């Protein structure tokens, strides 16, 4: 299940790749686990979207595009 309901006005991306959500710093995976209320490992990019595209799909598309040059 995707976590589309997050109010992005409270999410900030840090230079170190971490995310600040409600004044707490997380990795994508840690934030997904926190919001889902689970303790087992997850792949964070599978739970978030940017402009309607899952982050895992976006990363794959960019990597594939870069390999074609």
């Amino acid at each position: 299940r995707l976590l589309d309901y997050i109010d992005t006005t409270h999410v900030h991306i840090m230079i170190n790749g971490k995310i600040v959500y409600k004044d707490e710093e997380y990795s994508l995976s840690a934030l997904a686990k926190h919001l889902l209320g689970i303790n087992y490992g997850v792949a964070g990019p599978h739970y978030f979207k940017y402009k309607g595209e899952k982050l895992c799909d976006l990363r794959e598309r960019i990597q594939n595009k870069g390999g074609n040059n």
Side-chain angles (χ1 to χ4, degrees), residues 6-33:
I6 298 175
D7 180 359
T8 55
T9 59
H10 297 288
V11 176
H12 302 280
I13 309 300
M14 306 292 287
I15 290 175
N16 65 2
K18 300 289 184 179
I19 298 165
V20 176
Y21 176 71
K22 294 188 177 180
D23 297 323
E24 295 289 329
E25 190 174 300
Y26 299 91
S27 67
L28 271 178
S29 298
L31 181 56
K33 287 171 55 174

Side-chain angles (χ1 to χ4, degrees), residues 50 53-64:
Y50 177 72
E53 185 175 11
K54 286 195 307 186
L55 295 183
C56 59
D57 296 337
L58 176 63
R59 177 176 54 201
E60 183 178 339
R61 183 171 55 80
I62 290 170
Q63 287 175 338
N64 288 339

